[in-house]
Amino acid sequence: MQNISLSDLHKQIKMHLECLRISGIEWLENNNNCTSQTSVPIVNDHLPLVSMAGTQNVVVASPAPVIPSLHSLEKKTLLLQQLKDEVASCVKCPQLAQTRKNTVFGIGKIEPDICFVGEAPGITEDEKGIPFVGEDGLLLDKILKACGLSRDEVYFLNIISCKPPDKRLPLPTEVTNCRGFLEKQLALVKPKVICCLGSCAAENLLDTKIPTNKLRGKFYDWKGIQVLCTYHPLYLIRNPEKKKEVWEDMKFLISHLGRMLPTP
Ligand code: URA
């Protein structure tokens, strides 16, 4: 038997836990006293062991994280930044790559209640590299405020990350080329609900030709995430009489999330 000092043992366990953490296992089951099972996080600076002495402290890897840890949010931030860099250098759509000023990656809170999915960046978004900062974005901000939400509580992204020229709709090939970025982003952001703004978002995410007016009012599923569809803010600017319907959709969404509307 090899003699090992307590401090070397500590170092070895720490290294092993760090390897587990890097490979995605961030919580361990602590079967410490056999009467209760708790999960403990693997963190950098200390071990999830109650005591190093004796053999009672059996630590078993748990397959699924119970609570999202700070580490998983940090890791997601890092992975989203890597994805954003990948999008910034993407030239899969030659016309878009030539005409864009900036790629427009999603922005907002990771693991939010709501992720709004739009169509494609417009002129202002292309200039600033940020989604929904033009005229329709201002209207969206007002809708959020009426719901008691701020921009940094939600996430925004688009079906495609580059502005199509001449205000045209994204082409099917462009949507396909960008699909991987959209799906990876949604998987990392993991919102409770996706709110599709307008027909381009709904058609492409839900793979349907059903128009928005028929999709409204109920939840659909996209890879385990609930999806609600409403009109695009640009459509509301052109058809202000539809604002009432969007407000109904938002009230439905807010109450579905168990949130309260602000008192007027
Ligand atoms: N319209 C969209 O669909 N997305 C934006 O980011 C801006 C305008």
Side-chain angles (χ1 to χ4, degrees), residues 107-253:
I107 194 166
K109 187 181 171 189
I110 298 172
E111 296 179 15
D113 276 359
I114 312 170
C115 171
F116 291 95
V117 179
E119 179 179 307
I123 295 171
T124 319
E125 290 78 18
D126 179 55
E127 270 160 15
K128 299 192 175 169
I130 303 169
F132 286 105
V133 284
E135 195 188 357
D136 36 5
L138 291 179
L139 179 55
L140 190 53
D141 286 348
K142 283 188 191 158
I143 296 170
L144 287 181
K145 194 168 173 210
C147 294
L149 290 161
S150 65
R151 266 184 95 92
D152 50 15
E153 277 178 273
V154 298
Y155 198 88
F156 301 97
L157 83 165
N158 284 305
I159 292 291
I160 65 165
S161 304
C162 298
K163 179 182 84 62
D166 308 321
K167 297 190 177 173
R168 68 158 167 76
L169 278 170
L171 302 173
T173 48
E174 293 164 352
V175 172
T176 306
N177 288 342
C178 226
R179 184 79 185 191
F181 296 134
L182 174 76
E183 295 202 358
K184 281 185 198 162
Q185 209 172 159
L186 281 172
L188 286 167
V189 170
K190 210 174 163 220
K192 282 198 189 123
V193 174
I194 293 170
C195 182
C196 285
L197 300 171
S199 56
C200 175
E203 274 180 22
N204 288 298
L205 198 72
L206 298 175
D207 191 21
T208 179
K209 288 280 174 211
I210 301 173
T212 305
N213 64 338
K214 297 261 164 52
L215 290 171
R216 291 179 54 239
K218 61 179 180 187
F219 286 94
Y220 302 88
D221 175 78
W222 184 81
K223 299 190 183 219
I225 304 176
Q226 293 174 313
V227 181
L228 189 72
C229 302
T230 192
Y231 297 115
H232 192 283
L234 191 61
Y235 180 74
L236 295 185
I237 292 170
R238 292 174 188 155
N239 303 275
E241 74 282 0
K242 295 284 177 191
K243 284 184 184 173
K244 215 167 62 191
E245 287 168 48
V246 170
W247 183 229
E248 278 165 19
D249 296 337
M250 294 313 293
K251 283 194 291 187
F252 178 49
L253 177 52

